[in-house]
Amino acid sequence: MMDNYGTPSLVLERGEGAHVWDADGNRYVDLLTGLAVNALGHAHPAIVEAVSTQIAKLGHTGNLYVNEPALKLAERLLDIAGEPGKVFFCNSGAEANEAALKMARLTGRTKVVSTIGGFHGRTMGALTLTGQEPKRAPFAPLVPGVSHIPFGDVAALEAAIDDDTAAFIVEPIQGEQGVMVPPAGYLQEARRITAEHGALFILDEVQTGIGRLGTWFAFQQAGIVPDVMTLAKGIGGGLPLGATIGFGAAAELFKPGHHGTTYGGNPVCCAAGLAVLDTIASEGLLEHVSSVGKEIAAGVEALHHPAISGVRGAGLLLGITLREAVSAKAAAAAQKAGYLINPIQPDVLRLAPPLVLEESDAQAFVAALPTFFEETP
């Protein structure tokens, strides 16, 4: 394998719920869940049954034909969004954002505004939207016409967006930047400003969508509706699946021949997606996510540990902020203790556990957290 990721520290062999086992038989509580992907944890019976049944019937159709799981999933996504629109299925968050960028070009405008620190993927268009220069620099020149402004700054947004702007794209919470939460009212102001100038408001919910924050989508918490929403990660419950959803007039931008994908809308992946949505609804996982997330945040705050400065985020997307740049050492200590967490920034530990995380595992993690800093200078 190419050296994209360095040498991995673990070989994982199997999983069940929020737990995984490595090749040596050691068990871990998975608080990262494949970068917020395995929404129902590992080997969830509903996904196993849905995928097994579908692969035995029809494994792939391509984009020349429609299949029932894809059509049903599109209908369900619009239903839980509560808005009329149209869905384009793809395979990842980067692809979903590539589609959104092409939709922006179909407005007849070319100027796109994104945010510093935002992460939207690593393909060339999505990388252009990403506001992290170390990831962008080796691949310049990128797609022209994209600028980046400070995240959460309404004045900067007012100054950047004008009548020539095609779109503004933003994450409701910047996950890769360290679970950065914008000031109250920011998304509402972004919706107002883009609407005033006729620009698309593209909300990247690749990480925040499908119940991660305790509601189906982050935009529902903000009381707004974007023109375009991108999804991936949790939607497939572990299988590669992404979606770009256009609401209102944006739903009509793509016409035949404008965009496509061979694997997008794969019936097996869409069957898994339906199982994810059905299980979240039937098991009351939105309420569970909100409750357990608050319990973790309150528990970490109550530790009053000298290495920890606070907790930010929502639902089960949390960032534990540290007073020193020791996240890598703390994550290594956590792994030795049987917990997989993500040192997303030098001074931030990211938690993105499965939505089915049990309270007992959450409580045990909080209790163990102080020990992760004992070997840290």
Side-chain angles (χ1 to χ4, degrees):
M1 298 173 70
M2 291 188 182
D3 193 25
N4 298 57
Y5 312 112
T7 303
S9 59
L10 285 179
V11 176
L12 298 180
E13 280 199 340
R14 66 184 180 93
E16 182 179 342
H19 300 131
V20 291
W21 285 261
D22 67 18
D24 296 321
N26 300 307
R27 191 186 81 158
Y28 305 85
V29 179
D30 185 1
L31 299 176
L32 182 58
T33 194
L35 298 173
V37 167
N38 299 307
L40 303 184
H42 301 272
H44 193 284
I47 294 180
V48 172
E49 180 180 0
V51 168
S52 300
T53 300
Q54 184 58 47
I55 194 67
K57 291 170 56 179
L58 185 66
H60 177 67
T61 62
N63 55 34
L64 299 179
Y65 313 98
V66 71
N67 65 79
E68 187 175 24
L71 188 58
K72 284 186 174 180
L73 182 57
E75 291 172 340
R76 286 292 305 281
L77 287 170
L78 294 174
D79 181 55
I80 62 176
E83 298 292 331
K86 291 185 178 179
V87 180
F88 170 78
F89 285 120
C90 53
N91 311 288
S92 67
E95 290 174 75
N97 287 325
E98 289 280 351
L101 180 58
K102 290 179 74 174
M103 291 172 72
R105 284 289 180 89
L106 289 173
T107 65
R109 306 176 183 184
T110 59
K111 178 180 174 182
V112 176
V113 179
S114 188
T115 59
I116 297 170
F119 181 81
H120 302 288
R122 294 179 182 270
T123 51
M124 292 299 277
L127 184 61
T128 303
L129 299 173
T130 293
Q132 300 177 22
E133 193 57 27
K135 292 182 174 69
R136 293 160 45 89
F139 306 101
L142 297 172
V143 178
V146 178
S147 62
H148 297 83
I149 60 174
F151 177 64
D153 188 331
V154 174
L157 193 57
E158 290 265 22
I161 294 180
D162 56 27
D163 292 343
D164 294 322
T165 303
F168 170 57
I169 184 168
V170 69
E171 299 164 274
I173 294 176
Q174 287 187 336
E176 290 283 319
Q177 189 65 7
V179 193
M180 299 295 293
V181 180
Y186 178 67
L187 295 181
Q188 293 88 338
E189 286 297 286
R191 174 67 285 183
R192 176 187 63 81
I193 295 167
T194 51
E196 287 178 357
H197 293 282
L200 295 180
F201 181 25
I202 304 173
L203 205 55
D204 179 339
E205 294 231 33
V206 168
Q207 190 161 167
T208 59
I210 315 297
R212 174 61 52 187
L213 304 187
T215 52
W216 285 115
F217 307 110
F219 80 79
Q220 293 166 328
Q221 293 186 16
I224 60 166
V225 180
D227 297 296
V228 180
M229 174 173 64
T230 57
L231 301 170
K233 293 190 181 290
I235 189 176
L239 276 72
L241 181 62
T244 305
I245 303 180
F247 298 114
E252 307 299 330
L253 284 169
F254 273 152
K255 301 299 181 186
H258 278 154
H259 195 48
T261 167
T262 298
Y263 291 103
N266 173 273
V268 178
C269 296
C270 289
L274 284 166
V276 169
L277 300 187
D278 288 343
T279 303
I280 291 174
S282 65
E283 296 187 2
L285 291 182
L286 297 181
E287 295 81 3
H288 177 76
V289 165
S290 181
S291 173
V292 175
K294 290 176 181 177
E295 184 175 344
I296 293 173
V300 173
E301 295 278 12
L303 292 173
H304 301 295
H305 194 279
I308 299 171
S309 59
V311 184
R312 60 191 180 215
L316 287 178
L317 179 59
L318 299 172
I320 300 173
T321 57
L322 309 177
R323 299 187 190 281
E324 306 281 346
V326 295
S327 66
K329 292 182 178 180
Q335 182 174 306
K336 289 182 180 180
Y339 296 93
L340 302 183
I341 57 179
N342 181 215
I344 190 63
Q345 291 291 327
D347 59 350
V348 182
L349 296 169
R350 177 173 58 171
L351 306 181
L355 310 187
V356 296
L357 180 71
E358 295 183 2
E359 287 188 28
S360 58
D361 280 329
Q363 292 165 355
F365 166 74
V366 172
L369 183 58
T371 68
F372 305 159
F373 302 98
E374 289 178 357
E375 299 178 6
T376 302

